[in-house]
Amino acid sequence: MIRFNKGIAQIHLAVFLFGFSGLFGKFLLCSPLYIVFGRTFFAFITLFLFARFFSKTNLFGFNKEQMCSFILQGLLLAVHWWTFFLSIQISSVAIGLITFSTFPLFVTFLEPLFFKERLKKKDIIVALAVFIGILLVIPNFNFSNNITKGGFLGIISGLTFAFLALVNRRNARISDSIAIAFYQNLFASIILILPILTLQIAPPQILEIPLLIFLGVICTALAHTLFIKSLTFIRAQTAAVIAGLEPVYGIILAFLMLNESPQARTLIGGLIIVSASIFAGFTSGEK
């Protein structure tokens, strides 16, 4: 008899929503700066309401050092999502999601520096596999090619996400995850106001506002909450493995909803990167 695992269901739904969020780079025609601003703005409002009425999360009482760390997280989150959506708009959902999934490559070499931990042989193998996957996904290094430009933006998205993950790891020891998510979305939206006003970018169309609300509330605040709640039922190692399925969900949804069909070379490179990411998550608990 198959037993229902609440945590597994929650994290699969969360990762599905994370993958679905990539499609908004195609659904929305406005600037990626506005996409990220809308996402973070509606997310932090939703997280505030959740913390205020549905959880015991304390959003106040943090010291100056912690607030500075939250500001740094907000900056990293803003850059991460801006490059992520710009990558998808320039190229495709598959390219954006796959190249973003290179973040384990950066975590592999940055984590020992951040936490003074020893670099393991398996980590180097994972990094090499990810690098091979990148070479397959990006056809050449000619920046007149939109696939190349989108791929490199996706890699930058992965790099900034790696830094964000490392800062989150340090903050998770001193702060509630909901509070961290609230403040990094809050500061990301504040940081994005300056470039939006300076560059005088055309605002989203009225019909795009509901999509931005859905992206912020469902694909960000709800997905993040589900991901956190799932960790009370399953191991972090299991969560890391399932999180590696994000590009898989996104590519399938892009095929069904946008009729995007990645090239065989892209799929092979993506398979290598995703497999390496899942392997890294599966072995993350090993000493």
Side-chain angles (χ1 to χ4, degrees), residues 144-167:
S144 63
N145 186 313
N146 284 342
I147 299 297
T148 302
K149 287 190 289 187
F152 273 92
L153 284 166
I155 291 171
I156 294 172
S157 177
L159 174 61
T160 50
F161 184 80
F163 277 112
L164 180 61
L166 294 172
V167 177

Side-chain angles (χ1 to χ4, degrees), residues 141-270:
F141 293 93
N142 180 3
F143 279 87
S144 63
N145 186 313
N146 284 342
I147 299 297
T148 302
K149 287 190 289 187
F152 273 92
L153 284 166
I155 291 171
I156 294 172
S157 177
L159 174 61
T160 50
F161 184 80
F163 277 112
L164 180 61
L166 294 172
V167 177
N168 276 341
R169 176 182 165 184
R170 188 176 69 84
N171 278 0
R173 301 171 180 174
I174 56 177
S175 307
D176 183 277
S177 297
I178 295 294
I180 293 173
F182 165 77
Y183 276 109
Q184 66 184 23
N185 278 280
L186 170 64
F187 286 121
S189 62
I190 293 173
I191 288 168
L192 286 165
I193 291 174
L194 180 61
I196 286 174
L197 293 178
T198 303
L199 298 174
Q200 297 182 334
I201 301 169
Q205 300 295 317
I206 296 297
L207 293 177
E208 292 181 307
I209 301 300
L211 291 176
L212 289 171
I213 295 173
F214 185 91
L215 178 62
V217 175
I218 305 299
C219 294
T220 307
L222 174 61
H224 190 94
T225 302
L226 286 170
F227 191 92
I228 293 169
K229 282 186 172 293
S230 72
L231 296 177
T232 62
F233 300 100
I234 63 176
R235 295 181 302 161
Q237 183 178 345
T238 304
V241 173
I242 297 174
L245 297 174
E246 179 182 340
V248 177
Y249 283 132
I251 291 170
I252 292 172
L253 287 169
F255 175 75
L256 295 174
M257 303 181 71
L258 299 172
N259 199 30
E260 280 194 2
S261 299
Q263 296 180 354
R265 177 175 174 149
T266 301
L267 289 175
I268 295 171

Side-chain angles (χ1 to χ4, degrees), residues 26 30-31 75 81 118 120 170 207 239 267 273 284:
K26 296 295 187 181
C30 58
S31 166
L75 176 62
W81 275 339
R118 185 170 57 87
K120 305 167 188 173
R170 188 176 69 84
L207 293 177
L267 289 175
I273 292 170
S284 60

